[in-house]
Amino acid sequence: MNIIGISAFYHESLCCLLQDGELVAAVAEERFTRVKFDRRLPINAFRYCLEAGGDLNPADIDCIAYYEQPSKKLSRQLAMGLDASVDPTFRWVDAGRPEREVRERLGYAGRFLTFEHHLSHAASSFYYSGFDEAAVLTVDGVGEWATTTYGRGCGAALELLEEVRFPNSLGLLYSAITDFLGFRVLSDEYKVMGLAPYGVPRFKEEMATLLRPGPAGQFSLNMEFFDFAQPARMFTDALPALLGIPQRVPESEITHVHKDIARSLQVVLEEMLLEKVCHLHSVAPSRNLCMAGGVALNCVAVRRLREEGPFPEVFVQPAAGDSGAALGAAALAHVELTGERPSASRLEHVYLGPAYGSERVAALLDAAALDAHDHRDAEEALLEAVVDRLCAQQVIGWFQGRMEFGPRALGARSILADPRDPAMRDKLNALVKKREGFRPFAPAILAERLGEHMDLDRDSPFMTETCQVNSALALPAITHVDGSARVQTVSHATNPRFARLIERFFARTGCPLLVNTSFNVRGEPIVNTPEDAIRCMANSELDALALEDFLIDREGLPAQVRRSTRLKTFSEQLARERIASAEASVHPRLSSDIEGWRPGEESLPSGVYTFV
Amino acid sequence: MTPEQLAASLATEEGLTLFRALQSAGAFGRAEQPAPTDGPQSILDWEPREEEGELVFLRKQGLRGKPKRLHAEHPDTFRVCLFGESLAAGFPLAPAYTPSTVLEVLLAQSCGSAAPPGLRVEVIDLALPNMGPSEQLRVCEAASQLQPDLCVFLTGNNWYYGLSLEPGASPEARVRYAQRLESGEAPALARAFREALLARAEVMTRSLIEYARAGGAQALVVIPASNLEWERRAPVPWLEGGAQARWHHQLQRAEDALAAGDYEVARTAAEEMATMDTNTTGVPERVLARVHEGLGDHVAAREARLLALEPANWQNVCWALPVVSPSMAEVMRSAAEDAAAPCIDLAEVIASRSATGRSGFDLFYDQCHLNVEGIQLAMEAVAAKIRTLSSGAASRDLGGAASSEDPPRAPAPRPIIAASGALQAAHWVSRFEPQARPDALCARLVILLQEAMDHSPLALEALRGWLELRSLDAPPDLNAALARAACIPGLAGLLRDPRLNAPLFKASLEALEARDCAEIEQILSRAIGSYERRFHEGLELSSALFRDCFWERTPEGERDSDRQHSEPIYRALWPESRFSFLCSGEAPLRVRAVARAAHTGASLSMKVNGEGPVLSQALTGAWQRWEARLEPLALRRGLNTLSLEWAPPSLPGEVPLEAARRRFAMGAEAEVFPTFGELYSLRLERDQGADRPRSAEDAGRRSR
Ligand SMILES: [Fe+2]
């Protein structure tokens, strides 16, 4: 039985394949198109999934499961109003579009099922958790109407017991404050979380004005302060008045007030979640809690639930955001079609994307005249050479095997460095990632050495956990200002080569951890192909690249490659923008006869707008 | 009504149709036009700035050439502003050689005899490729800040923007498509687009003249000409009673007859096609033109080719062709006349040069862009006209014609720029236009490439480098051969295109072989090697990399400049689909197709290098796998072409057109052209003998 799960048209789109209940492929479309957060129909990802399933074609697919119910979502959008100034085309009114696009553009004629957004979230956690039974909590911005749900799973059965409805939403609250703090909505919420430890929660009272607790699982937002229907911003003038400062201008200096607001928000979120998770425990008593939804990506809050909440076991889906809901939709379809639970075991790894063998890499390096060390059939030498470079404080691109799905790089498409180097964080931020400096990087640690360095007693293979660093080593590059770190535990079972690398590094240095950050530069999706990896190296200051069995030093990169892969030139960018905007606004003299050519949906403003 | 009830009704066809009708009537309001801003405005990439109380415009570096500055006031300068699209911007010779630079030299030469002493002439280039009509009006309005003496409008090719059948049109536009379909079949849709275009041409011409005059300048309208030798393969829409199948049958008959020199049969076939498609494709008109040419009647041929331009840009399934049709030229001419503005019709200027009225590749790179000779000819005519204009103020008159014995001659570009123009044109032409006759295209490309090599020895290097970039091992931007190929200016962007581009590949080999270019064998071997390696994992031939025609039904991809998201199902718009690849020709290959029919009675037949068929199958509406073995005997070393022939659909067009109308009325995408067949995959592999089963892990290691 082949079931495809799809999430699209809102966040970054994703396609996955469930084959007889086993997840065999999952990948986001952005990795192929190289457009970050690409939310178009996942054409490339779909084709990849079919190929990974063993040379399938659309006729071999038993069901395509879509992660939400378009007409139900439409009713909520309609309730928010019909405002031509937001989007005069009203494309979004067309609830039939997802199914039409799936059928016509993917050439699919079979069964098409839609599942409620939060049910998909819940399923994406519970069915992959390995728990026989569990309580389930989903928290996000908004799906159709629900923004938070409380549920219970047992065997193949999964039911939602209570929901909180739009506009009362913890995710939207977080996004609105993200917007207020001058970061990008739907993408930079994690930066606010990273900023929080630098502040003090002195705006708790103000936050309490914004978010009020309610009975049972309920809570409410004070809508005097929010406006989710406008493209420009998510809050009203009342919010800056309440907080006493204007909205932060993007890219401007981050002051103490901003940090204090971030901290206050984080604390209020955590406290509300704690209260509600206790409520969940009372209606769905269990040892196990499964979580999903965008807010479950807030690993700081999840840690508090784990430590202070009533559930000893907590499972968070690695792609807890909307794109990962495709996994849930596929699982729900499997249950509906077979009456059985898709897989009883826990999702062990996320290496479910494309791989590119060493032979192909060899041909590429040859054609590109790249000077590389060939370590085919000599893994030992490759690992030693990488460790040499890490010890020399070099920053290494690490490209091995099948690509991971989800927001984190987990050792298949990663950038690695020595966590002990006090200068490493700044070096990585400035030269490689080209991002703000306040956030620390995450460590990848050998699973068997976890307890010696981290205050954590269980594996965290997906970097969904944060914990206190209690290492005897000084680890400035990965330790946050509050002494915490977001850990990935690396095991020999799921990523053997990565594990062996860290083992070598440990043998050499006594440090069983590496800095592990995603292999991309700012504004770009994580690399997918070897070509992407080389381009990324040319566009950043990576010192070396371990590309399958090859190792390329920066000096081995011809100047011509550095030049030709440079990001789009100014004039190219200008031309591109022009094409997008050329006839977007019709000259008054032509308005009587214009046929209404407008730029495609992709060039409409994203972010806040997409809540419409 | 609750939101839930409203959503439920909007989820039905009736509900959504009603909503779109109300939306089109403006029931939910419209987007607000941005309010006009006060004070100095930028003019294209010229940014206003106040310097010591004076208004100055600075051009940002990057868009074209070096940064420059312009003072709004220009007491000693006769200022000409040239407006237009890519034609006026001098594509593909810009920025080194453009109509503006040529015109400036010409006017400077003639300015003399009677002109006031010390009067300088300058021509400001306000043309930009891909400019649409709205933007053009805004640029023209803003240009009054430069206080031009004369505005020259060499424009019209892009005025169809927003008036053609755009696959990615807005819901409102689609509602209008539906309304037009209601009043007739597809030809009615085509006629409605044409009427709207003519109405727009009138508004545009009048408005440009008005804006120029409002700014105190004279206006000169220059109507672009077209390359009448341009051949294109335009699809025929669904026709009443299934006539589209007969249309294709007649086209094949006409082509066969033309090849055999049987002009009467070709004429009859073309005339039958013309009665079916009623001038919606231009195809029968061009067939007729070839009949006339075969019979030596060049006047009739010219008439037929002009008529073929009329439907050039209503259909945007492939590519709406930027041209000014004869009826549009007529509208522009009379609008200029009504406004008493001087006007030059370049088609007339060109036609008057020779007895046959030839307007072809001698003056054009492609369908509308003038080559060096074309620019020279056009600008000489423009300069001559300008000298006859009187501003009414003697201090600003250019001073009559230069002496007739020594008319000013347009300057020539540097040889390397001429070579660049020819090379870019070869890339452009081979990449973008669905070709009616691949053989004719190849011959044309060879001429362009030879011309480039005549101009500059570097062109040979560029060509050799381009062939090296056809390797599958590395994409062009990573390929070490890029630097070598980019030795001629203007090629950088074109060289990044990873597609095989069979027509250019063939032409390049031919052109290089004629020059006894060494290393060709070596380059070819390397490229073939890269293909042979890929055959192990399988090569997806249906991807855009290997298609012969790049503009086949890619609605979303059309606006996706990197074309990363443009590979949905391959849908054949024509009776034949061609895919090319390289191979050694030594080992057998296996081709595995996953195909389905879009209509009943469809069939597929597959040929290799025109021979075969190697596979012949009836298709159903469900995806099915087909396999064929390609024997070494059928393969060649080097370029090979796999062609799929599909039976034309005979369904009466009324049925799919009514379905399309209902879709348009909902604001949804729809198709008014028949699909001949669909491919999910066309995979070419090394023939392993017996089929070996594939594991998921194995497949996971491959990628497209
Ligand atoms: Fe969600």
Side-chain angles (χ1 to χ4, degrees), chain B residues 329-635:
Chain B
E330 181 54 45
V331 166
M332 292 170 72
R333 215 166 19 235
S334 66
E337 200 172 298
D338 289 349
C343 175
I344 301 174
D345 188 342
L346 286 182
E348 280 173 13
V349 172
I350 291 172
S352 65
R353 289 189 325 151
S354 69
T356 60
R358 184 179 181 203
S359 176
F361 285 105
D362 54 336
L363 296 175
F364 292 88
Y365 282 126
D366 55 16
Q367 87 288 350
C368 71
H369 297 109
L370 292 165
N371 65 14
V372 172
E373 291 76 42
I375 289 176
Q376 289 172 334
L377 178 72
M379 289 304 113
E380 280 168 10
V382 170
K385 187 78 173 185
I386 291 173
R387 285 192 299 272
T388 67
L389 303 178
S390 167
S391 69
S395 64
R396 305 199 69 75
D397 267 0
L398 283 186
S403 67
S404 55
E405 303 92 72
D406 189 18
R409 294 302 309 271
R414 285 184 296 132
I416 193 161
I417 298 302
S420 168
L423 276 182
Q424 287 189 58
H427 277 277
W428 182 254
V429 165
S430 57
R431 271 165 49 146
F432 284 102
E433 179 67 347
Q435 285 301 319
R437 291 188 291 159
D439 50 336
L441 169 70
C442 189
R444 180 66 219 143
L445 291 174
V446 172
I447 293 171
L448 278 170
L449 299 179
Q450 279 168 343
E451 190 185 310
M453 289 189 285
D454 289 343
H455 282 300
S456 166
L458 285 177
L460 189 139
E461 286 298 309
L463 218 47
R464 209 153 56 174
W466 181 80
L467 278 177
E468 285 185 74
L469 295 178
R470 297 314 94 201
S471 156
L472 290 179
D473 287 339
D477 65 327
L478 296 183
N479 196 312
L482 183 69
R484 180 182 192 176
C487 58
I488 288 212
L491 286 183
L494 296 166
L495 291 172
R496 280 165 200 251
D497 187 343
R499 289 174 282 206
L500 173 60
N501 194 340
L504 190 58
F505 190 90
K506 213 168 145 193
S508 300
L509 282 183
E510 208 171 296
L512 286 173
E513 270 158 17
R515 305 251 158 172
D516 287 330
C517 173
E519 296 178 35
I520 282 298
E521 185 44 45
Q522 208 185 330
I523 291 171
L524 194 58
S525 288
R526 274 206 298 271
I528 288 171
S530 76
Y531 275 75
E532 290 286 334
R533 277 190 287 282
R534 269 317 149 87
F535 291 148
H536 285 289
E537 51 188 49
L539 191 66
E540 183 51 58
L541 270 192
S542 72
S543 102
L545 283 185
F546 310 106
R547 295 182 196 168
D548 256 21
C549 175
F550 303 136
W551 281 86
E552 290 184 318
R553 191 104 43 138
T554 53
E556 293 255 339
E558 190 202 7
R559 307 241 172 262
D560 183 355
S561 49
D562 287 339
R563 312 187 70 78
Q564 300 276 18
H565 195 253
S566 58
E567 297 175 30
I569 307 306
Y570 173 87
R571 297 193 163 94
L573 270 179
W574 328 88
E576 190 194 42
S577 307
R578 294 155 61 96
F579 306 92
S580 296
F581 58 95
L582 307 180
C583 74
S584 69
E586 285 160 12
L589 295 173
R590 176 170 296 269
V591 59
R592 308 189 318 137
V594 178
R596 72 177 180 187
H599 57 92
T600 52
S603 67
L604 163 68
S605 123
M606 189 188 293
K607 290 180 176 172
V608 186
N609 298 320
E611 304 289 329
V614 292
L615 179 75
S616 199
Q617 291 292 346
L619 296 177
T620 70
W623 294 113
Q624 277 176 287
R625 292 184 172 81
W626 312 104
E627 279 196 25
R629 196 176 133 98
L630 310 182
E631 300 297 342
L633 262 178
L635 298 168

Side-chain angles (χ1 to χ4, degrees), chain A residues 10-11 67 117-118 121 139-143 293-294 320-322 325:
Chain A
Y10 183 53
H11 281 269
Y67 83 121
H117 187 106
H118 277 260
H121 273 314
V139 194
D140 71 358
V142 60
D322 276 3

